[in-house]
Amino acid sequence: MGDATWWQRGVIYQIYPRSFMDSDGDGVGDLPGILARLDHLSWLGVDAVWLSPVHPSPMDDFGYDVSDYTGVDPVFGTLDDMDELVAAAHRRGLRVLLDWVPNHTSDRHLWFQESRASRDSPRRDWYIWRDPRPGGGPPSNWLRYAGDSAWRWDEGSGQFYYRVFLDSQPDLNWRNPEVQEAMFGTLRFWLARGIDGFRIDALSVLVEDDRLRDNPPNPGYRPGRDLPYQRELSVWNVDRPETRELAARMRKVVDEFGDDRVLLAEIGPLEQTVAYYGAQGDGIQVPFNFELLSVAWDAEGIAGAVGRYLAALPAGGWPNWVLGNHDTSRVASRVGPAQARVAAMLLLTLPGTPILYYGDELGLRDVPVPPEEALDPIARLIPGRGRDPERSPMPWDGGPGAGFTSGRPWLPLGADHRTLHVAAQRDDPGSMLTLHRRLLRLRRDAPALVGGGYEPVEAGGDVLAYRRDGPDGGYLVALNLGPRPARLAVPGPAPGRVLVSTHPDRDGAPAGATLELRGDEGVVVGHGG
């Protein structure tokens, strides 16, 4: 792994800035707050931070409705604060990535204000405006995320504009070369200020069919289980070939600033995701692998998901793994607190780059928010789909405001925040935080766990096992995905010893020829090189 880049060797830590650390008592996290907590990230052992949007925004979608791509919203601080944060992170050996939202702007962005003002506006074609169908109605049958028409009527100019998400998030027209250059310019602005890369939001919906052909119905749609827009197959408005070409151009822009800058991207199903690596490896370096977010949490389901993903990777494609983010129920709520420890071991011992969501290192769970108090606009559009619960503030200590704020937090803290927090876990050898730190340290010291081979090991029942082998030696990872004790015959001539267990009382113990696993226990066994 000596020639691997930092993002291949490293672990990326996602911060939702509103919820990480508030420095000024307004209840909302900010950039000076993140700066004040950088030492936590260095101590933990991650290598980069990815910040969800901090740009100026009306906050209809809490920053994913950008009104200025080259600024910082006052709620988060200033450009000087961003520069200071980046410099301080770099001094600690941490990289900084920003969220980039290219599909749409806020309707209060100057570009849209000008586009909407007149059909003759020089920026009219910066967005997607169309007349009604002959006879009236939206120009196509395309659905937006909420399940109604993706076309919004604008009375002032007498046309529809296209938007995939909120009414206040009009889609940019990426077929327009002026839009392309303006957006590429926003990447260059941040790269010149020292930003190390970007996570691209909703990349697969960037371009739509220019003939506005109707999508076919989805014969497999399951009412009440699938999202409303999945009533149709998004053939003509998602993952168009032009989007993949634009992704390669984004990569070229980033490469202008050196081969150590990186692009992460939110895309979609596995077959789409792997295509964005590019035909010659010239696309997105880290197209997010979401397979573990929805897999059946058992040995067969996880083994199948891992195998399918690794088999689907193109030649030279570097793997990555996601267990949580700002749009998904927290892993400890999905699989339970005991299995969340096993999940951490899985995430940090599979080949490739792990992406860790803030608070998962503590085992945070979703914090319920009553429907009438929901802040997430998706909760109002699609009842039961709100994302507030996984965005609760980070608990740093047991004091008022959990050390997150001296004011009233913008979202409620967890009911257990007085006991489940960083200060309580930092020196506890059995804590979830300590487990993460030990796994991160092991991963850093064991190149085989980053880029070594991956070989499934035959195991029965609820046990998932695999070997990771490299020049530094061999490692057996055995994960008991059930609550009952289990046994695993240790393959190979040298049983080795337990390097890390989710139950720390056996760290350092000989593994033996037969490995006895307690319920909900995972272990990493080291073998000689």
Side-chain angles (χ1 to χ4, degrees):
M1 290 297 296
D3 57 350
T5 62
W6 68 264
W7 56 266
Q8 291 174 319
R9 296 188 303 270
V11 175
I12 298 169
Y13 184 97
Q14 181 190 358
I15 289 177
Y16 194 72
R18 296 181 70 88
S19 296
F20 197 64
M21 180 66 201
D22 169 29
S23 71
D24 58 10
D26 66 356
V28 177
D30 48 40
L31 296 179
I34 295 171
L35 174 62
R37 297 295 188 179
L38 283 182
D39 286 342
H40 168 73
L41 303 180
S42 297
W43 174 87
L44 181 61
V46 299
D47 301 270
V49 294
W50 146 36
L51 306 180
S52 290
V54 294
H55 305 306
S57 166
M59 299 295 166
D60 290 348
D61 193 17
F62 295 110
Y64 286 94
D65 49 323
V66 178
S67 58
D68 178 4
Y69 287 95
T70 57
V72 171
D73 194 283
V75 75
F76 298 120
T78 66
L79 270 174
D80 287 342
D81 290 329
M82 178 64 80
D83 290 340
E84 185 178 359
L85 173 62
V86 172
H90 286 171
R91 287 195 297 270
R92 291 166 171 81
L94 294 168
R95 309 284 181 139
V96 180
L97 314 178
L98 294 184
D99 231 305
W100 188 56
V101 187
N103 178 68
H104 51 267
T105 69
S106 166
D107 62 355
R108 294 183 225 180
H109 197 296
L110 177 63
W111 298 345
F112 189 71
Q113 297 282 308
E114 294 181 1
S115 179
R116 193 178 209 171
S118 165
R119 290 198 187 195
D120 298 323
S121 167
R123 285 204 169 109
R124 184 68 171 182
D125 193 45
W126 281 44
Y127 295 82
I128 304 164
W129 295 94
R130 294 292 185 273
D131 291 325
R133 286 181 191 261
S140 73
N141 74 342
W142 302 342
L143 301 177
R144 68 168 174 155
Y145 187 80
D148 53 353
S149 174
W151 297 95
R152 175 73 173 174
W153 178 251
D154 182 62
E155 192 68 39
S157 60
Q159 283 188 312
F160 287 94
Y161 67 85
Y162 182 71
R163 47 72 166 115
V164 173
F165 299 105
L166 303 182
D167 292 347
S168 57
Q169 293 173 308
D171 277 37
L172 284 161
N173 177 17
W174 272 86
R175 293 183 180 279
N176 185 330
E178 293 180 348
V179 169
Q180 296 172 17
E181 288 311 309
M183 290 300 291
F184 293 156
T186 68
L187 291 177
R188 294 185 178 102
F189 173 87
W190 290 108
L191 290 164
R193 296 184 89 94
I195 293 299
D196 298 289
F198 303 88
R199 175 265 188 184
I200 306 172
D201 180 68
L203 176 58
S204 62
V205 298
L206 204 62
V207 179
E208 303 76 31
D209 178 49
D210 56 354
R211 292 166 54 187
L212 305 187
R213 283 171 279 192
D214 281 349
N215 283 328
N218 180 2
Y221 177 66
R222 301 166 298 176
R225 295 182 62 186
D226 294 329
L227 289 166
Y229 77 90
Q230 293 173 318
R231 297 198 313 272
E232 66 182 26
L233 299 173
S234 301
V235 173
W236 297 110
N237 60 334
V238 176
D239 188 36
R240 302 303 301 149
E242 298 91 336
T243 304
R244 301 182 187 187
E245 294 168 6
L246 286 165
R249 292 185 60 195
M250 295 169 190
R251 171 70 179 277
K252 287 182 179 179
V253 171
V254 171
D255 285 349
E256 292 172 11
F257 290 79
D259 58 8
D260 63 341
R261 310 296 175 98
V262 67
L263 290 175
L264 290 59
E266 175 190 32
I267 299 169
L270 177 59
E271 61 275 11
Q272 290 181 15
T273 295
V274 296
Y276 280 82
Y277 282 100
Q280 307 298 325
D282 54 353
I284 306 299
Q285 296 108 310
V286 186
F288 280 157
N289 163 28
F290 291 145
E291 294 297 292
L292 295 180
L293 291 179
S294 58
V295 68
W297 199 257
D298 55 44
E300 181 179 4
I302 296 172
V306 171
R308 284 191 303 274
Y309 172 71
L310 293 177
L313 287 174
W318 186 258
N320 69 87
W321 308 92
V322 176
L323 267 178
N325 61 33
H326 61 293
D327 290 331
T328 307
S329 177
R330 284 197 177 269
V331 63
S333 290
R334 298 200 312 270
V335 305
Q339 278 296 309
R341 299 173 70 90
V342 177
M345 184 168 283
L346 174 73
L347 177 71
L348 296 172
T349 59
L350 286 171
T353 301
I355 294 91
L356 179 63
Y357 186 48
Y358 87 96
D360 280 354
E361 75 269 32
L362 301 177
L364 293 190
R365 286 165 281 194
D366 294 343
V367 177
V369 176
E372 65 275 11
E373 298 177 16
L375 300 180
D376 180 17
I378 297 300
R380 297 189 290 275
L381 289 170
I382 311 174
R385 295 281 184 170
R387 301 164 296 179
D388 292 336
E390 59 262 28
R391 300 175 176 183
S392 60
M394 182 82 162
W396 293 99
D397 59 42
F404 164 73
T405 183
S406 60
R408 179 182 179 183
W410 77 287
L411 281 176
L413 294 157
D416 53 2
H417 72 270
R418 287 186 172 84
T419 56
L420 196 159
H421 52 74
V422 172
Q425 293 196 30
R426 186 172 169 122
D427 297 321
D428 177 359
S431 73
M432 183 69 145
L433 181 59
T434 298
L435 174 63
H436 273 81
R437 188 172 189 239
R438 294 207 65 197
L439 287 168
L440 285 161
R441 183 184 301 162
L442 175 64
R443 189 179 183 278
R444 177 174 287 108
D445 293 341
L449 291 178
V450 178
Y454 171 87
E455 181 183 353
V457 170
E458 185 175 349
D462 292 325
V463 176
L464 172 70
Y466 47 90
R467 285 189 59 89
R468 304 296 318 284
D469 293 300
D472 56 307
Y475 302 86
L476 170 70
V477 180
L479 309 173
N480 188 353
L481 298 160
R484 293 182 295 274
R487 290 184 172 186
L488 175 71
V490 177
R497 61 187 181 90
V498 175
L499 302 178
V500 178
S501 168
T502 56
H503 295 50
D505 58 348
R506 72 185 299 179
D507 287 357
T514 300
L515 190 59
E516 304 281 349
L517 293 171
R518 288 168 283 192
D520 303 312
E521 182 181 25
V523 299
V524 181
V525 175
H527 297 260

